Amino acid sequence: MHRSAKTGQNRTNSKASQALRRIDHRDTGRIGIETNQGVLSARAVLVTVSTNMLAAEKIAFDPPLPDKTQAAARLPLGLADKLFLGLAHPEALPADTHMLGAISRGATGTYQLRPLGAAVVEGYFAGDLAHDLEREGSEAAFAFAADELAGQFGADIRKELSLAAISAWAAAPHIGGSYSYAQPGASDQRAVLAAPHDGRIFFAGEACSHSRYSTAHGAYETGVAAADLIAGAFSRNA
C-alpha cells in the first residue's frame, strides 16, 4: 500500500491497492485524494510514504508543501538489503553465529548463520554493494554470498546453499530505498516533516521519529501519535 488515508464511508478493502497521485487540499472542507482508480474524499489524510517519494514529488500536493518536500530531501533513504539462503544440512554451519564476509575490502556482506538454529543463512548488504547487487539481480547476490561463505567454510558449502528470498528496496517503485538518514545539520528536519499541516494532513514513518528513526518501532510510534492527533481533531470538530 502506497499511502494511508481516512476516507469515511468511501473506504473499502478494494481501495487498499490504489496508488496515490495527488492530494488536493484547496478546499477548506474535505480533501480530494486522486488515485490511479479515481478520486476519494477525506476529512484528514495520514501520509506514510518514504522520504525519497516525497522529495521526488511522486505525490503532488495542491497547493504544494515545499517545507515537506525540502525536509524529505534532507532525510534521504540509504540502502540495506537482506538475502536469505536455505541450508540443505543444518550441521554444515554453526548455529547462531555472526560472520563478516571479508575484512580486506569495504564491499562485503555480513551473515547470521542459522539464527535460532534454523537451516537458514541471513545475509545483509548495504550501501554501494547493495545498489550493485540490486542492479545485477538475485542470482548475482546469491553468487556473491556463496563466494564469501566458501571463503570461510570451503567450496563444498556452495552445494548446501539455495536462494530463499531477497529484498530490493531501492528498486521498489513506491519506496526507493531502506532507512532514512539525516544529512549533516539536518536532524531538525525530522520535526519539520512530522508536523501536521493545517490540522488535516498528517505525516508518519521512521523518518518522522526524533530518536527512533530507521526502525520499525519508530515508524509504528509516529503512526500511533499521528492517529491520536487525528482522533483528537475529529472529536473537537464533532
Side-chain angles (χ1 to χ4, degrees), residues 204-229:
E206 54 85 14
C208 294
S209 176
H210 175 70
S211 59
R212 295 184 173 182
Y213 47 84
S214 302
T215 68
H217 51 284
Y220 171 79
E221 289 171 355
T222 62
V224 170
D228 287 343
L229 288 175

Side-chain angles (χ1 to χ4, degrees), residues 86-100:
L87 190 61
H89 299 94
E91 65 275 9
L93 291 174
D96 291 310
T97 300
H98 185 264
M99 185 194 105
L100 180 63

